[in-house]
Amino acid sequence: MSDAPRIARKSPYPVEVAKGKTYFWCACGRSQRQPFCDGSHKGSGIEPVKYLAESSDKIFFCGCKKTANPPFCDGSHTKA
Ligand code: FES
């Protein structure tokens, strides 16, 4: 069984991603370098979500970790 994800913050993280670059979104909420994984999920049973940027764009990564569409914000923080 895995621990519950922690709310990193109740708003998304806007990030300018670079085409062709891979990112690992923190799903557990424990990372000190949000919204990305720093390895702090170890032992929580939660794994980061890999995201490959298909174009250079501004992405809103989920901060509350309750999104139904990880790693993207889906507005769930308004209910978190
Ligand atoms: Fe949260 Fe890795 S630190 S998923």
Side-chain angles (χ1 to χ4, degrees):
M1 214 181 108
S2 58
D3 295 344
R6 292 183 191 156
I7 294 172
R9 76 175 190 192
K10 289 188 178 179
S11 58
Y13 292 89
V15 177
E16 299 281 351
V17 298
K19 181 179 179 174
K21 198 174 163 194
T22 298
Y23 300 84
F24 288 89
W25 173 75
C26 168
C28 75
R30 290 159 177 75
S31 173
Q32 295 300 308
R33 39 176 299 263
Q34 293 293 332
F36 303 118
C37 175
D38 71 352
S40 300
H41 61 270
K42 207 163 187 266
S44 71
I46 301 173
E47 295 291 327
V49 174
K50 187 177 172 183
Y51 169 70
L52 171 62
E54 284 172 5
S55 59
S56 294
D57 207 351
K58 184 189 267 188
I59 300 290
F60 290 83
F61 288 98
C62 171
C64 73
K65 314 302 178 184
K66 294 184 186 299
T67 179
N69 184 30
F72 312 109
C73 173
D74 73 349
S76 292
H77 59 273
T78 59
K79 299 173 240 131

